[in-house]
Coordinates of all heavy atoms in Angstrom, one line a residue:
L167 N -46.5 -29.1 -22.0 CA -45.5 -27.9 -22.1 C -45.9 -26.9 -21.1 O -47.0 -26.3 -21.1 CB -45.6 -27.4 -23.5 CG -44.9 -28.3 -24.6 CD1 -45.3 -27.9 -26.0 CD2 -43.4 -28.1 -24.6
L193 N -41.7 -36.0 -21.1 CA -42.6 -37.0 -22.0 C -42.1 -38.4 -21.9 O -40.9 -38.7 -22.2 CB -42.7 -36.4 -23.4 CG -43.4 -35.0 -23.5 CD1 -43.0 -34.5 -25.0 CD2 -44.8 -35.0 -23.2
A196 N -47.0 -42.8 -24.2 CA -48.2 -42.3 -24.9 C -48.4 -40.8 -24.6 O -49.3 -40.2 -25.3 CB -49.5 -43.1 -24.6
E197 N -47.6 -40.2 -23.8 CA -47.7 -38.7 -23.4 C -47.5 -38.0 -24.8 O -46.6 -38.2 -25.4 CB -46.9 -38.3 -22.3 CG -47.3 -39.0 -21.0 CD -46.3 -38.7 -19.9 OE1 -45.1 -38.4 -20.2 OE2 -46.6 -38.8 -18.6
R198 N -48.2 -36.9 -24.9 CA -48.2 -36.0 -26.2 C -48.5 -34.6 -25.8 O -49.3 -34.3 -25.1 CB -49.3 -36.6 -27.1 CG -49.3 -36.0 -28.6 CD -50.3 -36.8 -29.3 NE -50.2 -36.4 -30.8 CZ -51.0 -35.5 -31.3 NH1 -51.9 -34.9 -30.6 NH2 -50.9 -35.3 -32.6
A199 N -47.7 -33.7 -26.3 CA -47.8 -32.3 -26.1 C -47.8 -31.6 -27.5 O -47.1 -31.9 -28.4 CB -46.7 -31.7 -25.3
V200 N -48.8 -30.6 -27.6 CA -48.8 -29.9 -28.8 C -48.8 -28.5 -28.6 O -49.4 -27.9 -27.5 CB -50.3 -30.2 -29.5 CG1 -50.4 -29.4 -30.8 CG2 -50.4 -31.7 -29.7
H201 N -47.9 -27.7 -29.4 CA -47.9 -26.2 -29.3 C -48.2 -25.6 -30.6 O -47.7 -25.9 -31.6 CB -46.4 -25.9 -28.9 CG -46.1 -24.5 -28.8 ND1 -46.6 -23.7 -27.7 CD2 -45.5 -23.6 -29.5 CE1 -46.3 -22.5 -27.8 NE2 -45.6 -22.3 -29.0
A202 N -49.1 -24.7 -30.5 CA -49.6 -23.9 -31.7 C -48.6 -22.7 -31.8 O -48.5 -22.0 -30.8 CB -51.0 -23.4 -31.6
L203 N -48.1 -22.5 -33.1 CA -47.1 -21.4 -33.3 C -47.8 -20.4 -34.1 O -48.4 -20.6 -35.2 CB -45.9 -22.0 -34.0 CG -44.6 -21.1 -34.1 CD1 -44.1 -21.0 -32.7 CD2 -43.6 -21.8 -34.8
A209 N -39.9 -21.7 -33.8 CA -39.7 -22.4 -32.6 C -38.3 -23.2 -32.6 O -37.9 -23.7 -34.0 CB -40.8 -23.4 -32.3
V211 N -36.8 -26.4 -30.7 CA -37.0 -27.5 -29.8 C -35.8 -28.1 -29.5 O -35.2 -28.9 -30.3 CB -38.0 -28.5 -30.3 CG1 -38.4 -29.7 -29.4 CG2 -39.3 -27.9 -30.7
L218 N -37.4 -38.3 -28.2 CA -38.8 -38.2 -28.5 C -39.0 -37.9 -30.0 O -38.0 -37.7 -30.7 CB -39.4 -37.0 -27.7 CG -38.9 -35.6 -27.8 CD1 -39.0 -34.9 -29.2 CD2 -39.4 -34.6 -26.7
V219 N -40.1 -37.9 -30.5 CA -40.5 -37.5 -32.0 C -41.1 -36.1 -31.9 O -42.1 -35.9 -31.3 CB -41.5 -38.5 -32.5 CG1 -41.9 -38.1 -33.9 CG2 -40.7 -39.9 -32.6
A220 N -40.5 -35.2 -32.6 CA -41.1 -33.8 -33.0 C -41.5 -33.7 -34.4 O -40.6 -33.8 -35.3 CB -40.0 -32.9 -32.5
N221 N -42.8 -33.4 -34.6 CA -43.2 -33.3 -35.9 C -42.8 -34.5 -36.9 O -42.2 -34.2 -38.0 CB -42.9 -31.9 -36.5 CG -43.9 -30.9 -35.9 OD1 -44.6 -31.1 -34.9 ND2 -43.8 -29.7 -36.6
G222 N -42.8 -35.6 -36.4 CA -42.4 -36.7 -37.1 C -40.9 -37.2 -37.2 O -40.5 -38.1 -37.8
T223 N -40.1 -36.5 -36.6 CA -38.6 -36.6 -36.6 C -38.2 -37.0 -35.2 O -38.5 -36.4 -34.2 CB -38.0 -35.4 -37.0 OG1 -38.3 -34.9 -38.2 CG2 -36.4 -35.6 -36.9
R224 N -37.5 -38.1 -35.1 CA -36.9 -38.6 -33.9 C -35.8 -37.9 -33.5 O -34.8 -37.7 -34.2 CB -36.6 -40.1 -34.0 CG -35.7 -40.8 -32.8 CD -36.5 -40.8 -31.5 NE -37.7 -41.7 -31.5 CZ -38.5 -41.9 -30.4 NH1 -38.2 -41.3 -29.3 NH2 -39.5 -42.6 -30.5
L225 N -35.7 -37.3 -32.3 CA -34.6 -36.6 -31.8 C -34.1 -37.1 -30.5 O -34.9 -37.6 -29.7 CB -35.1 -35.1 -31.4 CG -35.7 -34.2 -32.5 CD1 -36.1 -33.1 -32.0 CD2 -34.7 -34.0 -33.6
L231 N -34.7 -29.3 -33.1 CA -35.4 -29.0 -34.3 C -35.8 -27.4 -34.4 O -36.2 -26.9 -33.5 CB -36.8 -29.8 -34.2 CG -37.7 -29.7 -35.6 CD1 -37.0 -30.6 -36.7 CD2 -39.1 -30.2 -35.1
T233 N -38.1 -24.9 -36.6 CA -39.3 -24.9 -37.3 C -40.2 -23.7 -37.3 O -40.2 -23.0 -36.2 CB -40.1 -26.2 -37.0 OG1 -41.3 -26.4 -37.9 CG2 -40.7 -26.2 -35.6
A235 N -43.4 -24.4 -38.3 CA -44.8 -25.0 -38.6 C -45.8 -24.4 -37.7 O -45.4 -24.1 -36.6 CB -44.6 -26.5 -38.4
A236 N -47.0 -24.4 -38.1 CA -48.2 -23.9 -37.4 C -48.4 -24.7 -36.2 O -48.9 -24.1 -35.1 CB -49.4 -23.8 -38.3
E237 N -48.0 -25.9 -36.1 CA -48.2 -26.7 -35.0 C -47.0 -27.7 -34.7 O -46.4 -28.2 -35.7 CB -49.5 -27.7 -35.2 CG -49.9 -28.4 -34.0 CD -51.2 -29.3 -34.2 OE1 -51.2 -30.3 -35.0 OE2 -52.2 -28.9 -33.7
I238 N -46.6 -27.8 -33.5 CA -45.5 -28.6 -33.1 C -46.0 -29.7 -32.2 O -46.6 -29.4 -31.1 CB -44.3 -27.8 -32.4 CG1 -43.9 -26.7 -33.3 CG2 -43.2 -28.7 -32.0 CD1 -43.3 -25.5 -32.6
V239 N -45.8 -30.9 -32.6 CA -46.3 -32.1 -31.8 C -45.1 -32.8 -31.3 O -44.2 -33.4 -32.1 CB -47.2 -33.1 -32.8 CG1 -47.6 -34.3 -32.0 CG2 -48.3 -32.3 -33.4
L240 N -45.1 -33.0 -30.0 CA -44.1 -33.8 -29.4 C -44.6 -35.1 -28.8 O -45.7 -35.1 -28.0 CB -43.6 -32.9 -28.2 CG -43.0 -31.5 -28.6 CD1 -42.4 -30.8 -27.3 CD2 -41.9 -31.7 -29.6
E241 N -44.1 -36.2 -29.1 CA -44.7 -37.5 -28.7 C -43.6 -38.6 -28.6 O -42.4 -38.3 -29.0 CB -45.8 -37.9 -29.6 CG -45.4 -38.0 -31.1 CD -46.6 -38.0 -32.2 OE1 -47.8 -38.5 -31.6 OE2 -46.4 -37.7 -33.3
A242 N -44.2 -39.8 -28.4 CA -43.2 -41.0 -28.3 C -42.0 -40.8 -27.4 O -40.9 -41.2 -27.9 CB -42.9 -41.4 -29.8
G243 N -42.1 -40.2 -26.4 CA -40.9 -39.9 -25.6 C -40.4 -41.1 -24.9 O -41.2 -42.0 -24.4
V248 N -37.6 -31.9 -22.5 CA -37.4 -31.0 -23.6 C -37.8 -29.6 -23.3 O -38.5 -29.3 -22.5 CB -38.3 -31.6 -24.8 CG1 -39.8 -31.6 -24.4 CG2 -38.1 -30.8 -26.0
L250 N -38.8 -26.0 -25.3 CA -39.3 -25.4 -26.5 C -39.3 -23.9 -26.4 O -39.7 -23.3 -25.5 CB -40.8 -25.8 -26.8 CG -41.5 -25.4 -28.2 CD1 -42.3 -26.5 -28.6 CD2 -42.1 -24.0 -28.2

Side-chain angles (χ1 to χ4, degrees):
L167 284 159
L193 297 167
E197 294 171 338
R198 187 173 186 264
V200 179
H201 181 74
L203 199 62
V211 179
L218 52 72
V219 172
N221 283 12
T223 300
R224 171 65 66 176
L225 303 174
L231 183 76
T233 185
E237 186 176 76
I238 301 161
V239 180
L240 307 178
E241 57 192 341
V248 61
L250 185 152

